[in-house]
Amino acid sequence: RNLLYVANGPITVQDPRRDGWPTVVKTAPDGFEALAVDVSSERSVAVFGGVIDDGESSAYVVLDISDPLAPSFVNMQVVGKNGRNGSGRITGVASAGRSVIYVVDGSSKIGHDRLQSLANSDEGFIQGIA
């Protein structure tokens, strides 16, 4: 099944082969605006990088995509305050194995966090961030 996850302010998911209409993911935290996305179908995880607090801080959100058209919220991690002209703003995310990797504008450093446990629970969601 081919699905499209989009980070353009609201987090959306759509099945382009079905009707092509996006579904807004309502489990994302209030005020989170997505700017980048990475999907790991192997781990049933989508990681969205974006801004929160009216653009004052950067964060990433981890969603469980076991039910691909109805993802569930796992965690949000604030990675820092944003400076003037967008400096410090998260610009890219990636997930690999148990890692979440992110980059921010104006920095040569790469951020790295580990997913605490990727083993599915009885409800099928992932167990937080270390």
Side-chain angles (χ1 to χ4, degrees), residues 24-90:
V24 175
V25 176
K26 297 193 187 296
T27 60
D30 286 341
F32 180 78
E33 295 180 50
L35 304 169
V37 62
D38 182 66
V39 176
S40 172
S41 56
E42 168 192 349
R43 296 283 188 187
S44 294
V45 166
V47 179
F48 291 84
V51 294
I52 191 98
D53 300 329
D54 294 323
E56 291 187 19
S57 299
S58 285
Y60 64 82
V61 168
V62 179
L63 299 179
D64 173 7
I65 57 170
S66 297
D67 182 353
L69 288 172
S72 57
F73 176 79
V74 175
N75 200 334
M76 180 177 74
Q77 183 69 38
V78 175
V79 299
K81 290 281 190 187
N82 298 335
R84 290 182 164 186
N85 301 322
S87 66
R89 184 177 63 117
I90 200 164

